[in-house]
Amino acid sequence: MKNLQVQIDAHSGFCFGVVYAIEMAEDILDEAGVLYCLGDIVHNDEEVNRLKRKGLKIIDHEVLKDLRDEKVLIRAHGEPPSTYQLAIENNLELIDASCPVVLKLQHRIKNSFDKGDSIYIYGKHAHAEVIGLLGQTNNKAVVFQDISELDLDTLPNNITLYSQTTKSTDKFYEINEILKNAGITVNTNDTICRQVSNRDRELRDFAGKFDHIVFVSGTKSSNGKVLFNVCKETNPNTYFVSNSAQIETSWFGENDRVGICGATSTPMWLMEQVKERILTF
Ligand code: SF4
């Protein structure tokens, strides 16, 4: 035995938006035994599989087009107006678990669009939240995930900048500086969720206290990638795993201190499993 000291980060685990969506789904599943959900309810396969076993059926927009007279959950990422329109046409009852933070951002973008602003969104192409945001502008806003995608010489003189809620705060402000230095007037809206940006700061503190960090997240989580990099920058001995089977005993030496943390989409029960496994080394 390696006599490892293992601690889970108390601030890791689901953010309130994900807790809200999963509680809503579980209430209905406990009563009805079945519920459709548009897209993965959370970017974590282990948690999605747990809910599928309770009767959750994950569908995509193609399947939604042919679905009639059913209950469909909208997950925390939110949806564009076209989905709400389709639900009316197909007599679908939407259980709207869009995160309040995302809904507020949708409204802000819609207001900017209605005022005629040139809207730029720092976000991941084709990400569900970004599709919902773009929908507020009839898909007219410009989405970019790297500043190199923008031709600064041909940008309007005056733009309104937003961010997907789970992007890196540092990168957002770097982009903001580059745009301003290029002589563009930027109406800057830092719309990064505080659940993400606060966790960024907390994780820097946490990651510095251990010999090794095991970061637990689904591979599809944007927020997972950002927060993993935050840990890795602070502590180079940081490993990314999606489940307890991926941990290797060779990572750790005798008497090492190991910290476990995760994304806003990582369930606490999964981090507990990871801890249990590490304690067997
Ligand atoms: S990260 Fe923030 S915006 Fe996204 S679901 Fe969680 S609370 Fe909502």
Side-chain angles (χ1 to χ4, degrees):
M1 294 284 277
K2 295 192 175 186
N3 188 33
L4 300 170
Q5 311 294 315
V6 188
Q7 189 183 325
I8 298 176
D9 172 31
H11 300 292
S12 285
F14 291 152
C15 61
F16 67 75
V18 171
V19 169
Y20 177 67
I22 290 177
E23 278 180 1
M24 236 184 212
E26 287 203 286
D27 283 351
I28 294 172
L29 289 170
D30 287 344
E31 250 177 49
V34 65
L35 174 65
Y36 290 91
C37 177
L38 193 50
D40 283 346
I41 187 163
V42 56
H43 288 311
N44 188 284
D45 289 345
E46 317 291 321
E47 179 68 359
V48 169
N49 289 337
R50 186 184 73 83
L51 291 165
K52 276 184 179 168
R53 288 193 289 275
K54 293 187 96 176
L56 192 73
K57 292 181 188 301
I58 307 289
I59 56 167
D60 60 19
H61 287 83
E62 278 309 302
V63 174
L64 188 77
K65 279 184 198 157
D66 298 323
L67 200 68
R68 303 264 178 306
D69 315 319
E70 296 284 358
K71 279 187 182 163
V72 180
L73 184 102
I74 296 200
R75 60 188 172 169
H77 289 322
E79 282 292 317
S82 54
T83 301
Y84 293 84
Q85 185 56 41
L86 181 66
I88 294 170
E89 288 161 17
N90 287 8
N91 194 34
L92 299 168
E93 183 185 339
L94 292 183
I95 313 294
D96 197 344
S98 302
C99 175
V101 177
V102 175
L103 282 180
K104 193 170 160 206
L105 173 55
Q106 288 185 348
H107 292 149
R108 283 177 72 175
I109 290 183
K110 173 146 189 4
N111 285 340
S112 292
F113 179 68
D114 290 344
K115 279 195 299 176
D117 292 356
S118 298
I119 301 171
Y120 284 70
I121 302 171
Y122 172 47
K124 187 175 171 196
H125 294 292
H127 186 283
E129 180 191 318
V130 173
I131 292 170
L133 301 179
L134 255 179
Q136 310 305 317
T137 69
N138 286 336
N139 299 329
K140 297 272 180 7
V142 175
V143 173
F144 65 100
Q145 54 193 40
D146 193 282
I147 188 75
S148 63
E149 292 172 30
L150 302 180
D151 179 2
L152 298 182
D153 294 336
T154 57
L155 243 50
N157 292 331
N158 214 311
I159 68 168
T160 298
L161 179 66
Y162 287 100
S163 172
Q164 182 183 345
T165 56
T166 48
K167 295 306 267 183
S168 144
T169 314
D170 289 351
K171 289 255 166 57
F172 178 76
Y173 281 104
E174 262 171 41
I175 286 166
N176 189 48
E177 272 312 295
I178 294 171
L179 291 168
K180 286 186 172 166
N181 290 340
I184 296 160
T185 304
V186 187
N187 169 16
T188 310
N189 297 275
D190 172 356
T191 48
I192 294 156
C193 174
R194 294 303 136 201
Q195 295 266 312
V196 178
S197 55
N198 290 344
R199 196 166 290 188
D200 183 317
R201 275 201 308 279
E202 289 156 1
L203 276 182
R204 278 178 217 276
D205 289 346
F206 181 80
K209 292 182 186 149
F210 296 87
D211 299 310
H212 304 271
I213 291 292
V214 177
F215 188 88
V216 189
S217 169
T219 51
K220 290 184 228 162
S221 166
S222 295
N223 159 251
K225 286 187 192 101
V226 171
L227 295 180
F228 168 72
N229 285 328
V230 164
C231 289
K232 186 95 182 160
E233 273 166 28
T234 311
N235 186 335
N237 298 327
T238 298
Y239 314 99
F240 186 103
V241 299
S242 295
N243 56 55
S244 58
Q246 294 173 346
I247 305 161
E248 291 180 26
T249 176
S250 61
W251 293 343
F252 313 113
E254 283 202 10
N255 303 318
D256 279 352
R257 289 159 304 153
V258 182
I260 298 171
C261 50
T264 55
S265 52
T266 306
M268 190 48 84
W269 63 260
L270 188 58
M271 288 184 281
E272 300 278 3
Q273 271 186 3
V274 165
K275 179 178 176 182
E276 296 289 300
R277 170 112 203 276
I278 294 174
L279 285 173
T280 64
F281 294 158

